Amino acid sequence: MTQELKIYNSLTGNKEIFTPIHKDRVGMYVCGPTVYNLVHLGNCRTFLSFDLINRYLIHLGYKVRYVRNITDVGHMVDDADEGEDKIAKKARLEKIEPMEVVQKYTVDFHDILNLFNTLPPNIEPTATGHIIEQIEIIEKIIANGFAYVVNGSVYFDVVKYNESHDYGTLSGRNIEEMFANTRALDGQSDKKNPQDFALWKKAEPEHVMRWPSPWSDGFPGWHLECTAMSTKYLGETFDIHGGGMDLKFPHHECEIAQNKACTGHNPVNYWMHANMLTLNGKKMAKSTGNNILPREIFTGDSPFLTKAFAPTVVRFFMLQAHYRSILDFSNDAILAAEKGFNKLMEATQLLDKLAANSTSSIDVNTWTQSCYDAMNDDFNSPILIAQLFEGVKYINLINDGKETVTAEDLKVFITAFKGFVFDVLGLVNAHESGSGSGDKLTGVVELLINLRKEARANKDFALSDQIRDQLLALGIQLKDSKEGTTFSIN
């Protein structure tokens, strides 16, 4: 069935029917991490959101070229043009080379996203690997009259650009108000205007990360990196550009300006932004101690948690909220999510055991379309999850013999249910997440289930109860039904 997908476009503030530039193909760029520290949970939410989007586009049959960069140079502390590069600062503090910092935290980033079962991007370019492309773009912007050179650094001329374009079109900011709020900074730097931003920075003598350019030995501006890498692999105009809400200004606003100053047209048709994650109702911040890392959740080693939670449970928790809404993480919230996740997994274990009847009282096609309707409405994962729990009700009713379904409808239902749970939401069975030893664990538990079954057949109910209770103490809950015994991990 043909599906009509609508995407909320941050540039227009409206939901728009998605029409890719090239039929059946999608080009999507997402701003990746600046690899100077362990990836934090808020960043993970952004990457999980775009993993969901990537998965659903693939599910619809699109051939997706998903590009997500690694920022390994040029991103200043506090996102300003002055000060110290975040990676260089970390290298100085840890007394290692900047590229050791990059390697260490890139590996951590990949490890965490693998635990979350995200699909890798098709291309993962690095900023340092595209210095030549960035220099070429700067040269074009200078030639077009929208940048100037001062003391070996190159700055984008926002005032000149705004004479013929609209700086602030994405964030809705008014340039006159921006100037009024920053007028006190005049004369404190080489910039003509405080809103001008660096395309290239001349490196100070102590700056380790530097490259030769027509203007100086230096390094590129943070905003320029994404412009170079997105257009190199997706073209001067591509379908989707995503990132966290915090990147809308100045990062994405500057990307639009750079692209238009270079090529004369908009670079992206659909801008998408994932909202922030809070912790116990407050903004996450290392400085205040209101912060939690993904591994602390997986191990339970956090004062905010009463126990450990599997990565797939955390993923399920994230997807219970729409990607554009603020989501609050707390012990109570993740506990509730785990209960819902276990209920969903119990239902998937029953799927292949369901028996078909010659008649059907369930409208499978209507239910299936309701799942698509949810995702077609700007990737509304919480509504999809609600529809999946309607499916759980069907599964339990069919299993209990209270509803009937034809063999054909049952096949459609099972395919759709599994497709949305595993392919679109990207969940995995609880006993398979994290360690990679799921098959062995399943085998051990099923062995104990069989021993318990024998004990009950021999009327050794004390042993039967002992097996059940000791498994429960380990967080493994058995559930008996007329079809047999299944288990879930709490």
Side-chain angles (χ1 to χ4, degrees), residues 157-381:
D157 194 332
V158 171
V159 172
K160 179 68 175 178
Y161 171 82
N162 204 56
E163 290 175 359
S164 54
H165 301 83
D166 183 13
Y167 184 77
T169 183
L170 178 65
S171 60
R173 302 196 180 201
N174 180 283
I175 192 168
E176 285 77 17
E177 291 178 2
M178 285 191 273
F179 278 120
N181 292 333
T182 56
R183 189 67 66 187
L185 296 177
D186 280 357
Q188 293 183 7
S189 73
D190 292 331
K191 300 178 184 180
K192 289 182 182 178
N193 303 287
Q195 295 301 328
D196 295 351
F197 55 90
L199 299 175
W200 187 266
K201 289 287 290 183
K202 180 181 179 181
E204 298 299 326
E206 67 275 10
H207 200 95
V208 177
M209 302 179 82
R210 60 173 66 216
W211 291 264
S213 80
W215 314 285
S216 66
D217 278 5
F219 52 92
W222 170 40
H223 312 306
L224 186 68
E225 298 165 4
C226 287
T227 294
M229 290 182 281
S230 61
T231 54
K232 178 179 177 67
Y233 298 108
L234 298 175
E236 289 186 357
T237 302
F238 54 95
D239 297 302
I240 297 171
H241 193 315
M245 194 77 75
D246 58 317
L247 297 181
K248 186 182 288 188
F249 186 89
H251 186 51
H252 291 160
E253 196 74 75
C254 293
E255 279 193 63
I256 291 174
Q258 288 165 164
N259 275 280
K260 292 176 77 170
C262 181
T263 67
H265 54 73
N266 275 312
V268 179
N269 287 344
Y270 304 88
W271 284 90
M272 301 183 69
H273 293 92
N275 215 325
M276 66 185 294
L277 184 72
T278 57
L279 177 60
N280 293 322
K282 298 177 182 177
K283 183 178 179 180
M284 285 197 200
K286 291 179 185 175
S287 58
T288 63
N290 195 57
N291 186 58
I292 189 169
L293 294 171
R295 288 192 196 279
E296 293 172 338
I297 303 173
F298 307 155
T299 62
D301 185 20
S302 169
F304 297 110
L305 299 176
T306 56
K307 63 186 286 290
F309 296 90
T312 192
V313 171
V314 182
R315 182 185 178 103
F316 179 72
F317 163 77
M318 299 274 200
L319 297 178
Q320 283 185 306
H322 190 264
Y323 77 90
R324 287 193 289 115
S325 65
I326 294 174
L327 174 61
D328 186 56
F329 184 93
S330 69
N331 186 70
D332 288 345
I334 191 72
L335 279 170
E338 187 179 53
K339 289 181 181 177
F341 172 84
N342 288 337
K343 186 177 179 181
L344 197 60
M345 290 302 110
E346 288 167 14
T348 62
Q349 286 180 285
L350 286 175
L351 275 178
D352 294 326
K353 300 176 182 178
L354 297 181
N357 299 88
S358 58
T359 59
S360 179
S361 57
I362 296 175
D363 190 341
V364 171
N365 290 327
T366 298
W367 175 83
T368 302
Q369 186 57 49
S370 72
C371 293
Y372 279 107
D373 290 345
M375 288 301 291
N376 289 338
D377 185 15
D378 192 33
F379 310 97
N380 202 321
S381 57

Side-chain angles (χ1 to χ4, degrees), residues 31-47:
C31 292
T34 302
V35 282
Y36 71 102
N37 214 331
L38 298 173
V39 63
H40 66 75
L41 198 61
N43 276 351
C44 289
R45 187 197 179 188
T46 295
F47 301 127

